[in-house]
Amino acid sequence: KDIWAEVLIPVVADLPFLKKLELELGGRHSNYSTFKGTDTYKINANIQINDWLRFRGGYNKASRAPNLGELYLPYQQIFTGGGVYGDPCGLLSNSPFGAGGALPTNPNTGLPTSLAAGQTAAGAQSAYLICRAQMGTTGANQFYGATQAQPGAGGGGFAWINQIGNPNLDSEKADTYTAGMVLRSPFDHALLNRITFTADWYQIKIKDAILPYSIDFARFLCYGAVPVTNATEAAAQAASTACQALPRSQSTGGTLTTLVSYANQAWVKTAGIDFTMNWSADVADLGLASIPGSISLNVTGSWLQTYKTKQSPAA
């Protein structure tokens, strides 16, 4: 259900260099049966200089509530990329939020380990504690024991994973700015008096954009988003929703099927110019007085200045 209102406010009129200035204000509250309400509004101006030149523009706050699929998609299996980073629990992992380098040497080979680029010693130890809590005593002893080879450092490849909706999503929000002009032909000639031209610059910034997240982001939520320093904190994190989406074998400590969902993690920024040109004339004005009707030409175009997206709030 929506409740909305718009008002058109005349500010000034019939000045020597300004024929008309008016403001357009509007607001809307949307109430959803499956989601919390959202509020949007707009503030636009219309500046009429004379009969043939008008400027327009303003600001609009927009929102998009998550759809039913994003909120309530049931469990399904998808085939997707295996991730940029290797298993975060591996002592050789290249993950900047993983346990790579948490132990000075690899128990399986006796060779030294090193921290991944972007990771700290405290961060690696935190991930290591969370991993052990997930695996249980038997699984952790096996995974980090002398008889089991550590998984490779890097990610890549493809994987079958599970996906589900996220009922805790928030609305996407956008700030839209526009500025433009409308030109009408100042000429009286029959072939020129119906020409119009519009050009509008726009800039749109969408934040909290909803995106199905990757295996790497699911792993970050478990191993990197909440640092721990002891076994008690690690056990609490291992029991969290984020880590429950990344189950580990209790006998081998290895990874099981990953569960991913949707999150308000992305943003979009775009800008450009839209323009139109219209011309029309009666056929009779073209020297064909015996033919009724008119002929017209319309050109519509858009110049995309920039379109940038970012899939995660992480650096």
Side-chain angles (χ1 to χ4, degrees):
K1 297 182 177 67
D2 290 318
I3 180 170
W4 58 273
E6 292 181 311
V7 293
L8 188 65
I9 303 173
V11 181
V12 296
D14 298 325
L15 296 179
F17 300 102
L18 183 61
K19 187 173 182 179
K20 181 172 59 177
L21 168 61
E22 55 189 16
L23 298 177
E24 179 187 353
L25 310 178
R28 183 184 75 238
H29 175 76
S30 300
N31 183 44
Y32 301 91
S33 60
T34 59
F35 192 72
K36 61 185 178 181
T38 60
D39 297 296
T40 60
Y41 58 91
K42 64 178 180 179
I43 304 172
N44 294 322
N46 181 52
I47 306 171
Q48 185 84 39
I49 302 299
N50 50 42
D51 290 338
W52 55 271
L53 177 61
R54 178 165 63 93
F55 295 102
R56 62 187 181 186
Y59 167 79
N60 181 74
K61 183 74 172 182
S63 70
R64 182 186 77 84
N67 62 44
L68 294 178
E70 292 162 343
L71 289 169
Y72 305 117
L73 180 75
Y75 268 92
Q76 66 175 15
Q77 194 173 57
I78 60 174
F79 188 62
T80 185
V84 176
Y85 305 114
D87 181 357
C89 290
L91 296 174
L92 307 178
S93 176
N94 67 341
S95 171
F97 46 81
L103 299 182
T105 59
N106 182 346
N108 180 250
T109 63
L111 298 175
T113 63
S114 59
L115 296 173
Q119 181 60 295
T120 64
Q125 186 64 22
S126 172
Y128 174 72
L129 291 174
I130 295 171
C131 290
R132 291 195 68 97
Q134 280 188 297
M135 298 171 185
T137 302
T138 301
N141 290 340
Q142 175 68 21
F143 188 86
Y144 294 115
T147 60
Q148 181 166 304
Q150 288 292 299
F158 298 92
W160 286 101
I161 61 175
N162 292 328
Q163 185 180 35
I164 194 172
N166 179 4
N168 298 314
L169 290 171
D170 198 1
S171 290
E172 297 180 343
K173 304 170 186 66
D175 296 302
T176 300
Y177 300 89
T178 62
M181 65 176 183
V182 180
L183 291 173
R184 298 181 64 87
S185 173
F187 306 109
D188 295 327
H189 192 282
L191 297 181
L192 300 176
N193 62 4
R194 300 187 201 173
I195 296 175
T196 62
F197 176 81
T198 70
D200 292 279
W201 168 84
Y202 64 87
Q203 182 184 80
I204 304 171
K205 298 180 179 180
I206 304 174
K207 62 181 181 179
D208 296 329
I210 298 170
L211 193 73
Y213 55 72
S214 66
I215 291 177
D216 288 323
F217 191 74
R219 291 168 173 171
F220 166 76
L221 293 177
C222 175
Y223 304 111
V226 180
V228 303
T229 59
N230 55 59
T232 301
E233 294 175 349
Q237 178 62 10
S240 69
T241 301
C243 288
Q244 290 297 305
L246 299 165
R248 313 282 307 197
S249 169
Q250 300 299 291
S251 58
T252 66
T255 60
L256 300 176
T257 303
T258 299
L259 175 65
V260 299
S261 187
Y262 297 85
N264 296 97
Q265 61 177 351
W267 57 249
V268 179
K269 297 178 181 178
T270 184
I273 297 175
D274 293 333
F275 59 89
T276 65
M277 192 279 290
N278 296 282
W279 170 86
S280 67
D282 292 334
V283 177
D285 294 327
L286 299 174
L288 302 173
S290 61
I291 301 178
S294 63
I295 186 171
S296 62
L297 173 68
N298 171 268
V299 178
T300 300
S302 181
W303 172 65
L304 182 63
Q305 178 186 4
T306 180
Y307 187 93
K308 301 178 181 180
T309 64
K310 195 167 184 292
Q311 293 186 329
S312 164

